[in-house]
Amino acid sequence: MTSFTVSTSRREALVDITEQVAAAAARHSQAAALMVFSPHTTCGILINEGADPDVAHDVLAFLHRLVPQSSHFRHVEGNADAHIKTIMVGSSVSVMLESGRLRLGTWQRIFLAEFDGPRRRTVWVQALAAAPEG
Amino acid sequence: MTSFTVSTSRREALVDITEQVAAAAARHSQAAALMVFSPHTTCGILINEGADPDVAHDVLAFLHRLVPQSSHFRHVEGNADAHIKTIMVGSSVSVMLESGRLRLGTWQRIFLAEFDGPRRRTVWVQALAAAPEG
Amino acid sequence: MTSFTVSTSRREALVDITEQVAAAAARHSQAAALMVFSPHTTCGILINEGADPDVAHDVLAFLHRLVPQSSHFRHVEGNADAHIKTIMVGSSVSVMLESGRLRLGTWQRIFLAEFDGPRRRTVWVQALAAAPEG
């Protein structure tokens, strides 16, 4: 298991972590896949388009409207919305590797989805083995 | 593959299954990760905060408002909302292991997310191998 | 890694790909699990009920209402809704195998979730190794 940290600068942000994940992948030339895991409960991990930053803007704006911060929640810390968004997005993704290189679609990038920043976040990475042939 | 069962007591509930998953993990001292999988279509698996039960309450209340049970659905069993919530949450999570112990963040717990209980549910667990070094 | 292609016939559709995934599984008699991954940013992969086609109809109709296509999004391609739905559903699922056969629940099927078709889509499949015993 390896890890890296990410500092987020706003309450809600999609931070592109593809390069950090690729660096971890490069140390595992025989791995078939990499688990990328957020050990936090108010930020998740997702895969989507990175070419147009408007996509990240639209995703965050939509989720912000869908799950308002002040919507009659009980949780006293005032961040119930961030927990709910994290559950909707998920805490982890798995991506395939080939000879230590990430296999992603042309437009895909890996993002940490911050919903209760700004904070310093940790991302865990674990390499998984390919099944034997046959 | 191992499995365990969970009985849910209400239509919608988050049931903490971390201890059952940890018990399965303890039998796999050499595994890198554990898949935790729901073989059902109206309950999912998720990871989020377990310290404050108000978080689980807020999550369920929000999803209940977002996907009403009676919202002009076609599916005649009357539980289309439960299928939709299961898709939003997901049917499975993967968690990392170290020497047979679950690696979770400080506040993270693993939950079965029941959306059409009360029922007796089964959870499947599969240990995955670490990639060889280098 | 293997792959197969799927042609979708409408803008939004759930296409049952269980048979294609099962065919890939049959080539991996020693694998513990299979990752099923969409390399696209406007279609995802999900697991849910396949017996009653009304479930797929209800899922798509609900998401269509929840994330309107024209909802003040910035992304100029006009498919921001498809990116958001893909994030909510997820780009990938993992399923367990036993002797090269998919282990799914009685009612579960694997679907490609198209949100910006009609298009020709590719699905990637990777077999993962079981952890050693003990």
Side-chain angles (χ1 to χ4, degrees):
Chain A
M1 207 274 301
T2 59
S3 68
F4 59 86
T5 58
V6 178
S7 290
T8 60
S9 55
R10 292 187 304 281
R11 182 161 197 267
E12 294 162 19
L14 294 191
V15 182
D16 189 328
I17 58 172
T18 313
E19 292 312 313
Q20 292 96 314
V21 177
R27 293 191 290 270
H28 295 282
S29 64
Q30 300 177 72
L34 222 51
M35 276 181 65
V36 183
F37 186 91
S38 158
H40 308 284
T41 56
T42 55
C43 76
I45 308 285
L46 64 88
I47 294 173
N48 211 260
E49 173 169 333
D52 178 0
D54 282 347
V55 172
H57 174 273
D58 288 341
V59 169
L60 291 173
F62 175 81
L63 291 175
H64 186 82
R65 285 194 304 270
L66 185 68
V67 196
Q69 192 176 352
S70 54
S71 178
H72 309 295
F73 293 122
R74 280 194 197 171
H75 184 46
V76 293
E77 290 182 50
N79 62 354
D81 65 308
H83 290 285
I84 292 167
K85 292 175 193 167
T86 299
I87 288 169
M88 295 177 83
V89 157
S91 293
S92 170
V93 299
S94 291
V95 291
M96 298 176 192
L97 298 196
E98 191 168 27
S99 306
R101 284 174 41 194
L102 293 181
R103 297 193 91 255
L104 290 171
T106 309
W107 306 107
Q108 287 182 319
R109 305 287 288 179
I110 308 169
F111 294 92
L112 180 134
E114 174 65 83
F115 296 121
D116 195 29
R119 296 211 205 183
R120 189 172 175 81
R121 300 295 200 172
T122 302
V123 177
W124 295 349
V125 179
Q126 172 67 51
L128 299 176
E133 291 293 313
Chain B
M1 208 275 300
T2 58
S3 68
F4 59 86
T5 58
V6 178
S7 290
T8 61
S9 55
R10 292 188 303 282
R11 183 161 197 267
E12 295 161 19
L14 294 191
V15 182
D16 189 328
I17 59 171
T18 312
E19 293 311 314
Q20 291 96 314
V21 177
R27 294 191 290 270
H28 294 282
S29 64
Q30 299 176 72
L34 222 53
M35 277 180 64
V36 183
F37 186 91
S38 158
H40 308 284
T41 56
T42 54
C43 76
I45 308 286
L46 65 87
I47 294 173
N48 209 262
E49 172 167 334
D52 178 1
D54 282 347
V55 172
H57 174 274
D58 288 341
V59 169
L60 291 173
F62 176 81
L63 291 174
H64 187 82
R65 284 194 305 271
L66 185 69
V67 196
Q69 191 175 352
S70 54
S71 179
H72 310 294
F73 293 122
R74 280 194 196 171
H75 184 46
V76 294
E77 291 182 50
N79 61 355
D81 66 308
H83 290 284
I84 292 167
K85 291 175 195 167
T86 299
I87 288 169
M88 295 178 83
V89 157
S91 292
S92 170
V93 299
S94 291
V95 291
M96 298 176 192
L97 298 196
E98 189 167 28
S99 305
R101 283 175 42 193
L102 293 181
R103 295 193 92 254
L104 290 171
T106 308
W107 305 107
Q108 287 182 320
R109 306 286 288 179
I110 308 169
F111 294 92
L112 180 136
E114 173 65 83
F115 296 121
D116 194 30
R119 295 212 205 182
R120 188 171 175 82
R121 301 295 200 173
T122 302
V123 178
W124 294 349
V125 178
Q126 172 67 52
L128 300 176
E133 291 293 313
Chain C
M1 208 274 300
T2 59
S3 68
F4 58 86
T5 59
V6 178
S7 290
T8 61
S9 56
R10 291 188 304 281
R11 183 160 196 268
E12 295 161 20
L14 294 191
V15 182
D16 189 328
I17 58 171
T18 312
E19 293 312 313
Q20 292 96 314
V21 177
R27 294 191 290 271
H28 295 282
S29 64
Q30 299 176 73
L34 224 52
M35 275 180 66
V36 183
F37 186 91
S38 159
H40 308 284
T41 57
T42 55
C43 75
I45 308 285
L46 64 86
I47 294 173
N48 210 260
E49 173 167 335
D52 178 1
D54 282 346
V55 172
H57 174 273
D58 288 340
V59 169
L60 292 172
F62 176 81
L63 291 174
H64 187 81
R65 284 194 305 270
L66 185 68
V67 196
Q69 191 174 352
S70 55
S71 178
H72 309 295
F73 292 123
R74 280 193 196 172
H75 185 47
V76 294
E77 291 181 51
N79 61 355
D81 65 308
H83 291 284
I84 292 167
K85 291 175 195 166
T86 300
I87 289 169
M88 295 178 82
V89 157
S91 292
S92 169
V93 299
S94 291
V95 290
M96 299 176 191
L97 298 196
E98 190 167 27
S99 304
R101 285 175 42 194
L102 292 181
R103 296 193 91 254
L104 290 171
T106 310
W107 305 107
Q108 287 183 319
R109 305 287 288 178
I110 307 170
F111 294 92
L112 181 133
E114 173 66 83
F115 296 120
D116 195 30
R119 296 210 204 183
R120 188 172 175 80
R121 301 295 201 173
T122 303
V123 177
W124 294 349
V125 179
Q126 171 66 52
L128 300 176
E133 291 293 314

